Amino acid sequence: MRRKIVAGNWKMNKTLDQGLQLVDEILSSSETSSQVLKIIAPPYIHLAAIAEKLSSREDFAVAAQNCHHLKSGAFTGEVSAEMIASTGAKYVIIGHSERRSFAGETNDILSQKVNIAIDKLTPIFCIGENVDQRNANTHLETIRAQLKDALFHLTAADFGKIIIAYEPVWAIGTGVTATSHQAQGVHNFIRTEINKKYGKEISENTTILYGGSCNAQNAQELFSCIDIDGGLIGGASLKATDIVSIINSF
Ligand code: PEP
């Protein structure tokens, strides 16, 4: 179901105490509203504690930042989708550009992660071009290939569970945000590709988030675009006043 969502990806930041304090601050300064779903993606080891803290708030949910592509086994240091679900987390970010570049995750591995996660968790699947692809004007081809290679094998029923995050790599953590015109153009392209593959109903119902230096100053303009359903927020999710102001930007 298409929803307005603000998801905060803490990456490798916050001790448990700092994370719990940040959640307290967000809760005390954001009104209970079912209109916007707020998702917090802390490091794995904080998932259970933060899911427990948010369990009474239906407008909040918890996500992992990654999961392994296999069910279980001898994979030291890895975490499975089933383990994540057992903490109370309901979402998982898959295909973040930092995983693609630092951990060498390919569309093939990412498609396996989606397959293993989809029964237990809602994937927030990240796609987006790098600066060279944008400058060469091949960004739409890149995005089409990411969709096709990692997601378009899914049945319509399973694809209907996916949230997409369009995150141009050149905008992540750089302070350079896509203009609302650029972001809306790509979101519309993504929706059109989904329409071609799965039809109008599924494309109209897919939640597509924007990520990449989204902040309290630019969120309102981005979120007012017709195909942008909210944001996946990195740096600005680490401070309560910033993330609450982004949440209030709808
Ligand atoms: C991200 O890492 O998904 C992200 C959008 O980061 P930032 O908001 O810091 O650009």
Side-chain angles (χ1 to χ4, degrees), residues 12 18 24 60 77 121 129 137 142 156 171 180 183 192 242:
M12 197 173 73
Q18 290 166 345
D24 272 336
F60 277 84
L121 297 164
E129 78 283 3
N137 207 23
T142 302
S180 54
T192 305
D242 289 345

Side-chain angles (χ1 to χ4, degrees), residues 91-165:
Y91 295 79
V92 58
I93 298 171
I94 297 178
H96 192 281
S97 67
E98 286 153 18
R99 300 287 320 163
R100 290 178 190 257
S101 63
F102 302 147
E105 293 183 356
T106 59
N107 286 328
D108 178 41
I109 286 285
L110 297 173
S111 72
Q112 295 177 53
K113 292 188 183 217
V114 169
N115 292 345
I116 205 92
I118 195 95
D119 290 336
K120 299 160 196 75
L121 297 164
T122 299
I124 301 172
F125 193 83
C126 302
I127 55 179
E129 78 283 3
N130 64 30
V131 71
D132 293 340
Q133 291 157 340
R134 170 60 71 163
N135 289 340
N137 207 23
T138 56
H139 54 292
L140 298 181
E141 276 166 48
T142 302
I143 287 160
R144 182 186 281 125
Q146 289 169 335
L147 288 168
K148 180 173 164 288
D149 296 346
L151 294 179
F152 279 2
H153 64 286
L154 293 170
T155 63
D158 278 347
F159 187 87
K161 300 176 194 165
I162 301 272
I163 295 168
I164 307 271

Side-chain angles (χ1 to χ4, degrees), residues 161-204:
K161 300 176 194 165
I162 301 272
I163 295 168
I164 307 271
Y166 167 56
E167 299 208 304
V169 180
W170 48 269
I172 295 180
T174 59
V176 179
T177 318
T179 63
S180 54
H181 181 72
Q182 287 172 319
Q184 164 58 24
V186 176
H187 280 235
N188 183 264
F189 174 80
I190 294 167
R191 218 177 278 292
T192 305
E193 291 298 300
I194 297 170
N195 187 0
K196 281 194 228 155
K197 172 73 185 172
Y198 292 106
K200 191 165 190 303
E201 195 183 335
I202 289 187
S203 80
E204 288 295 319

Side-chain angles (χ1 to χ4, degrees), residues 4 7 29 40 59 65 74 97 108 127 139 145 168 176 183 185 196 201 208 211 239 243 247:
K4 293 184 195 311
S29 48
I40 293 177
D59 56 330
Q65 299 172 15
S97 67
D108 178 41
I127 55 179
H139 54 292
V176 179
K196 281 194 228 155
E201 195 183 335
I208 309 177
K239 218 170 125 202
I243 192 73
I247 292 164

Side-chain angles (χ1 to χ4, degrees), residues 9 11 96 98 167 171-175 211-214 232-236:
N9 174 11
K11 310 189 183 186
H96 192 281
E98 286 153 18
E167 299 208 304
I172 295 180
T174 59
S213 298
C214 182
L232 177 55
I233 317 295

